[in-house]
Amino acid sequence: MKKGCLSEYFTGVVAKRLSAVEADPKKSNQHEFNGVKPLRSLLGDERMDKMPSRFMYFGDEEDKSVQADGYLTWYDSRIDQAHRSAEYRLYFPTTSVTEKMQEGDLLLVVRKVDGSILMIAVQGGSTVENQLLWLFGIAEVERQFIKRDYEAEQEDIPLNFASRIIIEELGIEIEVPDDNLLDALLSRFGGKFPKTAEFSAFARQSVGASSLDDADKVLIAWMEKEEALFRVLERHIVGERLRQGFGEDVDAFIDFSLSVQNRRKSRVGHALENHLEQVFREHNISCSRGKMTENKAKPDFIFPSISEYHNPEFPNVRLTMLGVKSTCKDRWRQVLSEAARIERKHLFTLEPGISENQTAEMAGHRLTLVLPKSLHASYKPAQQGNLLQLVEFVDLVKGCQFATV
């Protein structure tokens, strides 16, 4: 197990594409997978009765995930037939998850480092399918199980900001960095959450790098450092509040828990905007952030400024807009109506592996995705030609601002 790598959370995974017999209870009541070699390598030779397991189903972009607690049983169906070779099977019960499974869905059986099992079904061709295949380092799968063994492989899969977000979507808490960062945080902020702009500036100072060197790489470094600093400070602040206790005030505890979750979600988006603004500042790019265009819409960034946008004499071809969403899901459509004068929209995101259907729809609406270079490989080759790196977007904006009409 290596810190900061996939093996810190998972020992291995097997994956396959579900057949009709495996997915449709009308065609089979067995609720079993044949214990083929990859499964046997993952689970071993010892019988395991009713292993506590987490079942998860992820649909398309519009469909919410379904989760259920259940169990799996791993056994040799020929244990009492000494004259015959072993024939292992993995039994699973009916749950709200298994009822959603369909032929062609991706199935993942994942073993965590604590020995527990995640059984994950994902709609074929969806964004989540692409993301999980990318996370686990798996090529396209067919109807036979394939396996990745993170304990045995010499080259582990390093985690980055985007892959950690996917792991958390699986209900796994990301390991908090060492507390050697806490003293500096307490000295600077006094044990309270500062304003997001101030916290982002502190993270950039801690990294000590300029986006002039490599904007794509440095932006990710800034985001990862801010995430690490935030988790350390959050653990301290939350720990102090829990030690104070809530007595019998259940509502106060619930409110506090929700505030922790909401802060985590909103902070990432603000941090990303803060760091992008710094990139533009370092590249001497003029822009307006969060200013109103039409119908009370407020694009995240307008280039070169909101005053030029509202000046009817300023040429449209020299205007650029950038929406910013750390994760897109179906919210990307919001940016389409945010700047009527600008026909070609741009959207910066940290979401890997958006489905081909979604990126095709984006292209149809003249929306171009901008992502850090390291995330482009999570998209299929046919999609990558329509993606921009951050440094390419910077060059595009510079070209627009200084273009002659």
Side-chain angles (χ1 to χ4, degrees):
M1 181 182 74
K2 298 178 182 178
K3 286 288 186 180
C5 291
L6 202 62
S7 63
E8 188 175 357
Y9 301 94
F10 310 104
T11 62
V13 59
V14 295
K16 76 182 302 289
R17 193 73 59 189
L18 287 172
S19 66
V21 171
E22 294 165 329
D24 189 347
K26 296 178 182 178
K27 296 184 179 182
S28 174
N29 292 317
Q30 290 182 319
H31 288 284
E32 290 184 330
F33 298 113
N34 290 330
V36 293
K37 186 177 179 179
L39 262 178
R40 191 170 176 181
S41 176
L42 181 75
L43 300 175
D45 290 339
E46 296 295 323
R47 180 184 176 100
M48 291 183 281
D49 290 303
K50 294 190 175 182
M51 297 179 289
S53 305
R54 186 70 167 164
F55 294 76
M56 310 180 82
Y57 183 86
F58 296 94
D60 62 19
E61 285 75 8
E62 308 290 340
D63 194 8
K64 293 184 178 180
S65 63
V66 177
Q67 301 185 29
D69 289 318
Y71 64 87
L72 295 168
T73 293
W74 174 247
Y75 70 102
D76 178 6
S77 62
R78 295 177 176 174
I79 190 67
D80 296 324
Q81 303 175 40
H83 62 287
R84 303 181 67 184
S85 58
E87 185 176 277
Y88 283 85
R89 298 190 179 276
L90 181 64
Y91 172 82
F92 58 93
T94 298
T95 68
S96 56
V97 169
T98 61
E99 290 177 338
K100 296 274 289 183
M101 297 191 311
Q102 298 182 32
E103 180 182 5
D105 285 350
L106 173 71
L107 177 77
L108 298 164
V109 181
V110 187
R111 189 157 195 170
K112 297 162 61 179
V113 292
D114 62 4
S116 62
I117 301 293
L118 291 177
M119 187 168 132
I120 306 169
V122 190
Q123 180 175 324
S126 65
T127 292
V128 181
E129 178 188 83
N130 295 341
Q131 292 174 342
L132 290 176
L133 291 175
W134 174 72
L135 173 69
F136 290 113
I138 299 173
E140 181 57 52
V141 295
E142 300 300 335
R143 297 300 174 98
Q144 302 298 319
F145 274 116
I146 61 173
K147 180 175 183 281
R148 287 293 303 264
D149 187 336
Y150 307 116
E151 290 183 315
E153 295 175 6
Q154 292 186 352
E155 292 189 10
D156 207 338
I157 299 178
L159 301 178
N160 58 29
F161 185 86
S163 53
R164 291 187 184 96
I165 291 177
I166 298 173
I167 290 175
E168 289 199 324
E169 290 291 327
L170 298 178
I172 299 171
E173 188 74 12
I174 291 296
E175 202 65 32
V176 176
D178 294 335
D179 278 347
N180 56 11
L181 302 170
L182 183 58
D183 289 342
L185 287 165
L186 294 179
S187 175
R188 180 69 173 266
F189 303 121
K192 296 180 180 179
F193 286 116
K195 294 181 178 180
T196 55
E198 186 179 358
F199 203 71
S200 295
F202 181 71
R204 292 194 296 269
Q205 180 184 359
S206 301
V207 172
S210 168
S211 66
L212 295 174
D213 300 326
D214 185 335
D216 292 80
K217 183 177 180 180
V218 170
L219 178 78
I220 289 293
W222 288 344
M223 289 295 295
E224 291 186 336
K225 176 57 74 171
E226 181 160 352
E227 178 72 9
L229 291 168
F230 174 81
R231 290 304 177 96
V232 170
L233 184 58
E234 179 190 57
R235 182 169 65 177
H236 171 78
I237 293 174
V238 171
E240 288 293 314
R241 182 66 184 90
L242 291 177
R243 277 188 285 274
Q244 295 173 16
F246 296 89
E248 297 182 0
D249 193 341
V250 176
D251 289 338
F253 174 77
I254 293 174
D255 289 344
F256 177 72
S257 177
L258 290 174
S259 70
V260 171
Q261 296 300 319
N262 290 336
R263 183 185 294 111
R264 284 187 179 184
K265 294 176 182 178
S266 64
R267 178 196 55 82
V268 175
H270 289 303
L272 184 55
E273 290 182 33
N274 291 337
H275 296 314
L276 283 169
E277 187 173 31
Q278 179 66 17
V279 170
F280 303 142
R281 187 180 298 117
E282 292 183 352
H283 284 264
N284 294 317
I285 293 175
S286 174
C287 65
S288 295
R289 178 178 172 185
K291 300 300 182 181
M292 190 178 299
T293 53
E294 305 90 7
N295 301 319
K296 298 184 178 180
K298 292 183 178 180
D300 295 304
F301 291 97
I302 287 286
F303 307 88
S305 75
I306 196 65
S307 60
E308 275 89 354
Y309 183 87
H310 287 301
N311 177 6
E313 302 299 321
F314 193 83
N316 287 0
V317 294
R318 294 182 60 187
L319 295 169
T320 314
M321 69 85 67
L322 181 69
V324 180
K325 295 187 183 300
S326 56
T327 58
C328 289
K329 302 195 185 317
D330 60 342
R331 297 178 299 121
W332 61 268
R333 296 179 182 86
Q334 296 170 2
V335 308
L336 298 178
S337 60
E338 288 182 344
R341 288 189 63 186
I342 303 172
E343 186 175 357
R344 167 65 65 179
K345 306 293 197 299
H346 290 84
L347 175 62
F348 189 96
T349 186
L350 295 175
E351 182 161 14
I354 296 174
S355 71
E356 290 183 279
N357 288 340
Q358 287 282 291
T359 56
E361 187 178 351
M362 292 175 185
H365 286 286
R366 297 182 61 80
L367 175 69
T368 299
L369 278 180
V370 186
L371 304 98
K373 181 180 178 180
S374 60
L375 297 182
H376 284 221
S378 68
Y379 288 75
K380 298 184 187 304
Q383 297 172 286
Q384 293 179 24
N386 296 318
L387 305 177
L388 286 182
Q389 301 174 21
L390 177 55
V391 67
E392 292 173 329
F393 178 77
V394 166
D395 290 341
L396 181 149
V397 174
K398 287 180 178 179
C400 289
Q401 290 195 3
F402 299 107
T404 57
V405 180

